[in-house]
Amino acid sequence: MNRIEALNILGLDADADADDIKVAYRECAQILHPDRFSNNAKLQNRATEQFKRLQEAYDFLTSGRGSKGPGQGGSGSSRSRSYQSSMSYYDAQLAGLAAARVQLVAQRDELLDKRRTALFTILVGGAIALLTLRVMSPIVKIAESIAAASAIGAAVQFGNIHKTLQIIDGHLADIDRQKKEIERQAQEEEEEDE
């Protein structure tokens, strides 16, 4: 892992400083923490993997291995640096939210695909079960039982996926609200400095 890869994981640009890294890490950690997905084992496992990557990137950047090289810092007046620092703080928060949003959207897209597959299975299994009701052959009855069981299993999976999608949509709405609040705070601070 290099500095750029670690910063990308946190959703930051190459000019991010230690404060930006800390803020972005906290934002991402709050949103991607595996405990937030405790009701869905698959999402929790995926969040655990992403959380580990997030932790590795943060550890790399804070250990000194991912620090900026000489000459990468800026210069300017103290007021300008203060303003840039506060704007970097907001930029880091927004970048962290953007990174978390990307992860959640990817999870949501994967679940939507699984939900479509489950719906197809429900429809096909139900159709097979209905078509074989009149036939008394033992083999057909076995096929009917298998189709009905797979349709029931897919219906349960469909319900679980739907609940998880609602949770993810709630998290995405939270991210959008946080983003608007951060943008509002940054705008107010920018107006105060002018």
Side-chain angles (χ1 to χ4, degrees), residues 1 3 6-7 10 17-23 25 54-68:
M1 178 176 296
R3 178 177 169 78
L7 289 170
L10 291 171
D17 62 14
D19 290 335
D20 298 337
I21 292 166
K22 185 184 257 185
V23 170
Y25 171 74
L54 184 69
Q55 184 65 45
E56 288 171 7
Y58 180 73
D59 290 344
F60 176 81
L61 292 168
T62 57
S63 68
R65 294 178 292 163
S67 61
K68 289 183 180 181

Side-chain angles (χ1 to χ4, degrees), residues 3-79:
R3 178 177 169 78
I4 299 299
E5 290 172 1
L7 289 170
N8 284 338
I9 290 170
L10 291 171
L12 296 172
D13 294 326
D15 62 345
D17 62 14
D19 290 335
D20 298 337
I21 292 166
K22 185 184 257 185
V23 170
Y25 171 74
R26 286 183 181 163
E27 292 286 330
C28 289
Q30 286 179 352
I31 293 167
L32 296 175
H33 198 281
D35 290 347
R36 293 188 79 170
F37 302 97
S38 60
N39 63 338
N40 185 314
K42 287 184 181 178
L43 281 179
Q44 189 173 31
N45 290 339
R46 188 165 183 173
T48 300
E49 291 173 19
Q50 292 168 353
F51 195 77
K52 285 179 186 175
R53 287 186 63 220
L54 184 69
Q55 184 65 45
E56 288 171 7
Y58 180 73
D59 290 344
F60 176 81
L61 292 168
T62 57
S63 68
R65 294 178 292 163
S67 61
K68 289 183 180 181
Q72 290 183 354
S75 63
S77 70
S78 63
R79 180 173 180 202

